[in-house]
Amino acid sequence: MIKLYGWGTPNGRKVSIALEEMALPYSVTRVDITKDEQFTEAFLSLNPNNKIPVIVDEDGPEGQPITVFESGAILMYLADKTGRLMPSSGHAYYRTLQWLMFQMGGIGPMFGQMHHFQRYAKDEAYGVKRYAKETHRLYGVLDAQLARNEFVAGSEYSIADIAVYPWIARFELHQIEWSSIPNVMRWYDAVGARDAVKRGMEAL
Ligand SMILES: N[C@@H](CCC(=O)N[C@@H](CS)C(=O)NCC(=O)O)C(=O)O
């Protein structure tokens, strides 16, 4: 049984979707980040960086328990554990890795700032303008990739799709014209129709 410590955010849901897709038994402990529960001593012992998500797998490598934080690392861990949703070698492996990093280094941080300025900033104009521009550029990159490929990392559904999907699910905050990104729209509908994705989005 894997314990998932999370909250209903894109980074948390990436992990619940992956657990559902891989049919791994798991339990959920909600860490209410709106009440600063990520700063408790108990949580700090799981992630020194005070952020969800975290997993604890009692049945880790060599049969020893393992704790993993950082959602990209968790997705790779789960893919390694099950041999699913990440090619094991060669071009396809690096293609999937690069699109996972595109999400971790681009979509996650930039969309995250866009969400922050949209929702919380008192003087939002500068922040929204700055992060909307980068968010829209990232949508363009993604749309071009999905014009050439069925899924984010190529012809196979993978952890790169799982990493990106819950961020696109916040599209209402992104001031994006859907008609300008038809390929993202096609992909979003297809991924969102998967039963495991629906269950994973509901889990947190
Ligand atoms: N790079 C980290 C980012 C994790 C992250 O930003 N988590 C947010 C929720 S989506 C969080 O815990 N925020 C609480 C805080 O910043 O205090 C990952 O991908 O796991």
Side-chain angles (χ1 to χ4, degrees):
M1 173 72 87
I2 292 176
K3 278 191 195 160
L4 165 61
Y5 295 82
W7 189 243
T9 63
N11 287 321
R13 287 175 172 158
K14 282 187 226 172
V15 179
S16 51
I17 290 173
L19 288 162
E20 291 286 345
E21 289 284 6
M22 296 170 190
L24 287 165
Y26 68 103
S27 65
V28 169
T29 301
R30 288 187 173 74
V31 179
D32 188 343
I33 61 174
T34 69
K35 295 193 176 130
D36 281 352
E37 288 178 4
Q38 71 276 30
F39 294 107
T40 61
E41 284 299 317
F43 189 75
L44 184 70
S45 70
L46 298 172
N47 183 354
N49 191 33
N50 302 99
K51 293 202 188 280
I52 65 96
V54 176
I55 60 161
V56 178
D57 184 2
E58 288 304 320
D59 182 25
E62 293 93 40
Q64 299 299 311
I66 188 170
T67 302
V68 188
F69 61 84
E70 282 293 325
S71 58
I74 296 172
L75 292 181
M76 291 182 72
Y77 172 76
L78 296 175
D80 275 352
K81 181 181 173 80
T82 58
R84 296 203 45 213
L85 299 181
M86 173 89 181
S88 56
S89 63
H91 288 259
Y93 172 84
Y94 290 106
R95 201 165 51 237
T96 307
L97 190 60
Q98 90 191 345
W99 285 101
L100 178 63
M101 295 301 145
F102 168 78
Q103 185 284 308
M104 290 296 294
I107 287 184
M110 293 302 137
F111 285 26
Q113 293 303 320
M114 171 94 187
H115 296 177
H116 174 83
F117 281 100
Q118 283 259 69
R119 286 169 157 171
Y120 306 118
K122 289 195 178 71
D123 174 15
E124 67 175 37
Y126 178 79
V128 169
K129 196 168 157 218
R130 173 175 165 80
Y131 290 107
K133 188 171 170 214
E134 182 63 2
T135 292
H136 294 169
R137 191 190 66 76
L138 289 163
Y139 264 104
V141 174
L142 188 61
D143 198 66
Q145 172 68 357
L146 289 167
R148 295 186 297 266
N149 299 282
E150 186 172 357
F151 294 106
V152 170
S155 56
E156 302 288 327
Y157 177 67
S158 74
I159 56 174
D161 298 282
I162 293 174
V164 174
Y165 179 83
W167 285 98
I168 304 299
R170 294 269 160 101
F171 61 85
E172 279 126 346
L173 294 170
H174 301 158
Q175 302 179 349
I176 187 86
E177 192 56 59
W178 272 108
S179 59
S180 69
I181 45 164
N183 304 293
V184 173
M185 209 155 88
R186 183 262 308 152
W187 167 89
Y188 180 74
D189 287 344
V191 173
R194 296 175 70 90
D195 286 341
V197 171
K198 288 183 197 154
R199 288 196 302 272
M201 291 294 283
E202 288 294 311
L204 279 172

